[in-house]
Amino acid sequence: MALTSKISLYDDQWPGAFSAEKGRIAKGFGCELIEVHHVGSTAVPGLAAKPEIDLLAVVVEHRDEVARNAFMATLGYVRGSDLSPGHHFYRRDVEGVRTHKVHVCICGHEQIGRMLRFRDLLRQDSGIRQQYQDLKLRLEAGNREGIGEYLAQKAPFIDAVMDGLSQ
């Protein structure tokens, strides 16, 4: 089973793709939107990644989910399962290939800081960035069960790095 898309070398177009998508999705959040961040591997210059733009929308609260889901559907997004209380998830595929993911978290949610700290660490520390890239490429090469397996096998590395930051 394949991943949602194939890992590729860093593409200088990814920041522009984030900015364009940020503008598209922001319209659907109205006054509940606080900010939108570029997160995930495409937000880290020099890091190979699945070419899926990850956006983190921070909101005051989840107000009208029905209207938001309908708006996101007009942009080609499908609402996925909530990743945790207060952490909603949307994905967009084009011709069977994942292109974008949107995490919507209530202000103060623990995942906001975690995603931003991990992104910033990868931007700043070339050694950890290289280790993470090597791991991702190894996991892709040996993957048999799809994205769930890939994410589960990346998690111990991310947890160890994040635990090291909090000590």
Side-chain angles (χ1 to χ4, degrees):
M1 181 180 291
L3 299 181
T4 51
S5 59
K6 185 168 175 38
I7 294 174
S8 59
L9 295 176
Y10 181 79
D11 186 334
D12 290 333
Q13 302 298 309
W14 289 340
F18 159 75
S19 293
E21 198 64 13
K22 174 183 175 180
R24 283 177 17 109
I25 69 164
K27 297 172 187 167
F29 289 86
C31 63
E32 75 179 312
L33 183 66
I34 297 172
E35 56 194 338
V36 180
H37 300 277
H38 189 187
V39 295
S41 294
T42 61
V44 181
L47 180 62
K50 292 187 280 62
E52 304 171 7
I53 306 301
D54 284 272
L55 299 99
L56 168 61
V58 180
V59 297
V60 174
E61 61 184 335
H62 295 297
R63 290 190 179 139
D64 189 349
E65 293 178 43
V66 172
R68 184 192 314 144
N69 293 346
F71 172 79
M72 294 296 281
T74 68
L75 301 179
Y77 284 92
V78 173
R79 169 91 181 256
S81 299
D82 290 355
L83 299 179
S84 65
H87 183 175
H88 298 177
F89 179 75
Y90 296 85
R91 66 186 183 278
R92 187 171 96 198
D93 296 358
V94 175
E95 297 177 5
V97 176
R98 180 82 26 96
T99 61
H100 295 80
K101 296 174 289 204
V102 179
H103 299 264
V104 184
C105 292
I106 293 174
C107 185
H109 194 286
E110 66 184 18
Q111 283 301 312
I112 297 167
R114 184 175 169 88
M115 283 189 254
L116 295 175
R117 283 191 309 274
F118 188 64
R119 177 204 64 193
D120 292 348
L121 178 66
L122 292 173
R123 285 176 172 175
Q124 297 163 7
D125 190 316
S126 61
I128 292 174
R129 183 172 56 245
Q130 187 63 52
Q131 289 174 33
Y132 188 53
Q133 178 172 293
D134 293 346
L135 171 65
K136 290 171 19 146
L137 293 169
R138 269 195 323 276
L139 295 177
E140 179 186 49
N143 187 274
R144 299 291 173 261
E145 300 296 321
I147 192 66
E149 173 189 330
Y150 174 79
L151 294 173
Q153 291 179 334
K154 283 192 329 180
F157 176 87
I158 296 168
D159 290 343
V161 166
M162 297 307 291
D163 288 348
L165 282 180
S166 62
Q167 293 179 3

